[in-house]
Amino acid sequence: MMKKLIAGNWKMNGSRTQARALIADIVNNLSQEEAIVEKADILVCPPALYISDVRHALRGYPKIKIGAQDCSSEENGAHTGDLSAQMLEDSECAYVILGHSERRQNHGETNVIVAQKVARALKADLIPIVCIGETQEERDAGRAQEIVLSQLQGSLPDLESFHEVVIAYEPVWAIGTGKTASPQDAQEMHTLIRENLKDLVPKPEKTRILYGGSMKPENAKEILACKNIDGGLIGGASLKADQFLSIARAA
Ligand code: PEP
């Protein structure tokens, strides 16, 4: 069985002081409970400006990985305000979240752009976490599977050799709303994603598929126990060390 990945997406929250306090809290709790890091991979994705603070706090804790929340689709050059995949790698990020629904909605990111970003990330030796998921409207119209599969197919570049890629199924209606997909619905979608990965990546069985959307300590165990759910992408609950770690414990 694949080791589960528990990833915290801090989004655009907090201050430097709060970021330092949060990572210190996570580290302090973990040092008392080393077993969690043996059983699950733990990842934190702070705002880019605080990556170096988090990196300093994690010296001596190489098992907790750092990720970014986005990268440019370009290699370098005249792209004011953007960060390249190489810069993130250089800042000791191991992962990068790409195509999050908030970026698709607020920054007009299409599948094509996301696929370009994924290719850049892989070239820079980052592991991309590619987010896909339907809106409430699409689900109500019975189009959830069709939308998720077209995002999956469109958001991955051609992958001829094996690279680690992570998929995050995040139904948009479950993000930050307190609503979660039922474990049955989530499992069904994850199984469909796994089947379709056969045509898209060299080793589909080695591709982790995370669930994201209002995951919290109370629902994590049931969701993470489902077949084909290989971890979680956690927003709100990743801002509290005790909640985040209790989700990791559930894994
Ligand atoms: C997310 O935005 O990736 C997410 C899952 O958020 P939340 O856990 O707050 O729903």
Side-chain angles (χ1 to χ4, degrees):
M1 213 172 83
M2 264 183 292
K3 208 169 170 189
K4 295 213 194 286
L5 173 63
I6 301 299
N9 175 9
W10 295 5
K11 308 194 185 186
M12 194 176 73
N13 286 299
S15 59
R16 168 162 282 125
T17 306
Q18 285 170 326
R20 285 179 176 165
L22 177 53
I23 196 65
D25 233 3
I26 292 175
V27 164
N28 290 338
N29 278 287
L30 274 181
S31 29
Q32 294 156 22
E33 238 186 298
E34 280 295 322
I36 308 182
V37 287
E38 301 302 332
K39 298 204 172 119
D41 286 333
I42 295 183
L43 169 69
V44 290
C45 302
L49 283 172
Y50 304 149
I51 286 172
S52 64
D53 299 86
V54 169
R55 191 181 66 222
H56 285 297
L58 290 178
R59 292 268 185 256
Y61 296 90
K63 289 200 168 143
I64 306 177
K65 302 294 179 199
I66 306 173
Q69 300 173 13
D70 179 43
C71 74
S72 172
S73 58
E74 301 295 331
E75 190 164 13
N76 53 38
H79 305 288
T80 304
D82 288 348
L83 297 174
S84 74
Q86 195 57 58
M87 289 168 183
L88 298 173
E89 197 275 336
D90 203 21
S91 304
E92 295 177 33
C93 285
Y95 291 78
V96 59
I97 299 170
L98 294 173
H100 190 281
S101 64
E102 286 151 19
R103 295 213 56 91
R104 290 179 188 263
Q105 278 172 0
N106 304 340
H107 297 269
E109 286 190 13
T110 59
N111 291 336
V112 171
I113 295 172
V114 176
Q116 285 166 352
K117 292 185 173 198
V118 173
R120 287 283 171 219
L122 291 173
K123 209 168 159 218
D125 285 331
L126 295 173
I127 302 169
I129 301 180
V130 186
C131 303
I132 54 178
E134 81 286 357
T135 61
Q136 183 71 61
E137 212 178 6
E138 289 160 346
R139 176 157 280 263
D140 292 345
R143 299 181 59 219
Q145 297 195 346
E146 169 205 334
I147 296 290
V148 165
L149 289 185
S150 78
Q151 288 185 347
L152 179 70
Q153 285 150 4
S155 304
L156 291 174
D158 285 341
L159 295 167
E160 273 150 27
S161 57
F162 176 72
H163 290 281
E164 189 173 351
V165 171
V166 178
I167 306 296
Y169 168 57
E170 300 206 298
V172 178
W173 48 269
I175 295 179
T177 56
K179 290 190 221 165
T180 40
S182 68
Q184 294 71 20
D185 283 350
Q187 178 166 313
E188 194 183 330
M189 194 63 94
H190 280 235
T191 302
L192 185 76
I193 293 170
R194 175 89 60 217
E195 281 162 9
N196 281 269
L197 277 172
K198 287 194 183 88
D199 301 325
L200 300 169
V201 300
K203 293 185 183 165
E205 72 288 354
K206 291 212 163 154
T207 301
R208 287 191 278 205
I209 309 172
L210 313 184
Y211 170 80
S214 298
M215 212 190 235
K216 38 187 185 262
E218 302 83 70
N219 58 29
K221 204 165 190 164
E222 204 183 357
I223 294 172
L224 291 169
C226 293
K227 190 163 179 264
N228 286 318
I229 300 190
D230 310 308
L233 182 54
I234 297 118
S238 74
L239 297 172
K240 301 245 165 65
D242 59 338
Q243 293 193 15
F244 182 58
L245 293 176
S246 111
I247 297 172
R249 240 167 261 136

